[in-house]
Amino acid sequence: MTITEINFDGIVGPSHNYAGLSPGNLAATNNKGSVSHPRAAALQGVEKMRGNLRRGLPQGFFLPLDRPNRQWLDSLSTDLSTAENHIRAAAYSASAMWTANAATVSPAPDTQDGRCHLTVANLITMPHRSHEWRGTLAQLKLAFADEAHFAVHGPVPPPFGDEGAANHMRMAASHDAAGIELFVHGRTGGSFPARQHIEASKAVARAHGLDPSRVIHIEQAAKAIAEGAFHNDVVAVANENVLFAHEQAFADPDATYAEIRAKLPEAEIVTVPAARVSLADAIASYLFNAQLVTLPEDEMALIVPLEAKETPSVWDWLQEMTAGNGPIRRVIPVDVRQSMANGGGPACLRLRVVADPATVDPRFLADEAKLDRIAEVIAQHWPEDIAPAQLADPKLAEEVERARAALLQALELGELR
């Protein structure tokens, strides 16, 4: 069995719009009311996947959820024609595209029963995301149906908020080795909510059968949350033995790094000083919301949004870092501007699953031909743009539903209807 890291990207849904539903996510709220471009957004995502595939990285995907979510509206005793604007927008939300929030994943080498465990996130802090988990769980159960190799868990019950892998990191000597798992929670963020509850993190660790001595619970810095780092993956990212983080990411960085080194002696910690890159620049550029990956030639690369290259303090620091002798040797900018404008960078768009690709339902694994097929459906069926007022138009709902149905048919995943 070949255990490797597979990145599962969310295909941007046809209802992608800028409703500004996520307090604390500065990009999302700053762009509230703008005209979105679902077709361009989805095609940018496909090209990101294609780039990783051509770099030799295993690539998977998840499909857009059923939107607008009429069942959720019905549970609120309303419908598309009568719902208040903010409720209608929440029913249309395409935020499941950010699959970093789909689930928390513990690979087989870390778990008591030797299976890869996945717990779907409840996302209860934000109403527009709180109704995602049922559709996400259905995909997880299909993609990882092989119970000899996977265990798929339902969500942690309320009131404990769980935001999935966006607040979880794993470090190990290599992907197929036993590692340590880092669960990051918040307590306060000034006027913005802290989204990950420590009790949710503890429950996930128990459900996955993790060795408590190999688990670290870390408090996110209140300052980071207050400045717009609504998830840990906006200020920190890990890959194998490397942790890449902003100096102000964690409430007690010295104790955090000491515990990491004690539990994983081969750990390499790369911190970006606030004096070189401010929190504001790090968050605006999504420097840390990057994919830190190990390329087939055993070289680590950081896949960053174009905004990182366009932020002078960030790009200057990255150039110095890669010119040195550190573990991150390459920086690769990618264009995900439509996702960025709604508050999600390259890391938001992917869920990392360390597993044998042969144990995954092949319908969820990408190759060039399948990406061509996906791009063709998007080009033919996805709306070119969506203005806020269009959410009240029943014709948009029909167009969005037809587009998703066409994609399900093209990928032979009709059971997700």
Side-chain angles (χ1 to χ4, degrees):
M1 185 168 73
T2 303
I3 293 181
T4 188
E5 180 180 84
I6 312 166
N7 284 282
F8 286 83
D9 279 37
I11 298 172
V12 179
S15 67
H16 166 66
N17 70 93
Y18 298 139
L21 297 173
S22 190
N25 183 331
L26 301 183
T29 53
N30 289 342
N31 286 302
K32 179 179 181 179
S34 299
V35 174
S36 67
H37 304 282
R39 188 182 306 164
L43 291 174
Q44 286 172 1
V46 170
E47 288 309 302
K48 180 173 95 71
M49 287 192 274
R50 199 186 299 279
N52 283 344
L53 201 63
R54 291 175 178 173
R55 294 180 190 105
L57 300 171
Q59 182 68 55
F61 54 83
F62 293 129
L63 282 78
L65 302 185
D66 186 14
R67 295 292 179 266
N69 190 338
R70 297 176 189 271
Q71 289 187 333
W72 183 68
L73 289 172
D74 185 61
S75 73
L76 293 170
S77 301
T78 189
D79 56 31
L80 281 175
S81 64
T82 60
E84 296 173 86
N85 288 340
H86 67 286
I87 296 295
R88 184 187 296 111
Y92 263 105
S93 174
S95 54
M97 63 197 247
W98 295 308
T99 57
N101 298 111
T104 303
V105 184
S106 296
D110 296 355
T111 67
Q112 188 174 25
D113 64 6
R115 295 187 293 169
C116 177
H117 285 247
L118 303 95
T119 294
V120 68
N122 61 32
L123 297 168
I124 61 170
T125 308
M126 296 293 159
H128 69 289
R129 303 212 66 176
S130 66
H131 56 98
E132 286 178 17
W133 69 264
R134 288 179 176 83
T136 300
L137 183 59
Q139 295 198 54
L140 295 178
K141 285 184 172 181
L142 269 186
F144 308 109
D146 183 348
E147 294 185 0
H149 295 98
F150 298 100
V152 178
H153 304 274
V156 174
F160 305 122
D162 177 27
E163 301 277 316
N167 288 312
H168 172 264
M169 299 179 289
R170 177 181 187 258
M171 298 181 69
S174 61
H175 289 308
D176 59 356
I180 61 173
E181 302 206 9
L182 317 178
F183 291 82
V184 183
H185 63 275
R187 294 187 189 276
T188 180
S191 60
F192 297 141
R195 301 192 184 184
Q196 183 75 26
H197 199 290
I198 189 170
E199 296 301 339
S201 295
K202 290 177 179 178
V204 171
R206 290 191 296 267
H208 290 191
L210 301 180
D211 180 348
S213 70
R214 307 287 291 172
V215 172
I216 303 177
H217 291 283
I218 302 168
E219 183 180 346
Q220 189 175 2
K223 177 178 175 62
I225 299 172
E227 292 207 23
F230 54 102
H231 291 139
N232 172 70
D233 67 3
V234 179
V235 285
V237 61
N239 178 60
E240 294 191 316
N241 67 318
V242 175
L243 172 64
F244 180 56
H246 192 272
E247 181 184 22
Q248 296 172 319
F250 308 122
D252 190 346
D254 291 341
T256 295
Y257 300 149
E259 189 171 3
I260 289 171
R261 292 186 174 107
K263 293 181 190 244
L264 189 74
E266 57 267 58
E268 292 193 59
I269 299 172
V270 180
T271 56
V272 179
R276 292 294 309 278
V277 178
S278 67
L279 262 179
D281 279 357
I283 292 168
S285 67
Y286 269 35
L287 164 61
F288 297 96
N289 197 257
Q291 288 183 254
L292 184 56
V293 298
T294 304
L295 300 174
E297 54 268 34
D298 204 30
E299 178 180 72
M300 278 203 200
L302 192 68
I303 300 170
V304 299
L306 286 176
E307 286 79 355
K309 186 175 183 178
E310 295 164 354
T311 305
S313 65
V314 169
W315 194 245
D316 288 348
W317 197 90
L318 287 172
Q319 295 310 293
E320 288 184 26
M321 178 187 71
T322 52
N325 198 32
I328 303 172
R329 308 305 305 154
R330 291 179 60 191
V331 176
I332 303 170
V334 296
D335 181 2
V336 287
R337 290 194 190 276
Q338 279 290 306
S339 176
M340 285 286 290
N342 220 354
C348 285
L349 285 162
R350 63 93 175 94
L351 179 70
R352 309 165 85 166
V353 179
V354 172
D356 182 352
T359 62
V360 177
D361 187 320
R363 292 177 294 178
F364 290 89
L365 296 176
D367 56 30
E368 289 277 3
K370 200 174 290 185
L371 291 180
D372 287 345
R373 198 181 320 150
I374 292 169
E376 184 179 344
V377 172
I378 290 167
Q380 185 175 352
H381 293 281
W382 260 232
E384 185 172 354
D385 43 50
I386 296 178
Q390 286 179 263
L391 299 184
D393 185 348
K395 292 180 180 178
L396 177 65
E398 294 170 5
E399 183 180 6
V400 165
E401 289 166 337
R402 283 196 305 269
R404 179 175 181 268
L407 185 61
L408 294 179
Q409 182 178 3
L411 296 174
E412 299 179 350
L413 282 163
E415 57 261 65
L416 290 175
R417 283 190 171 181

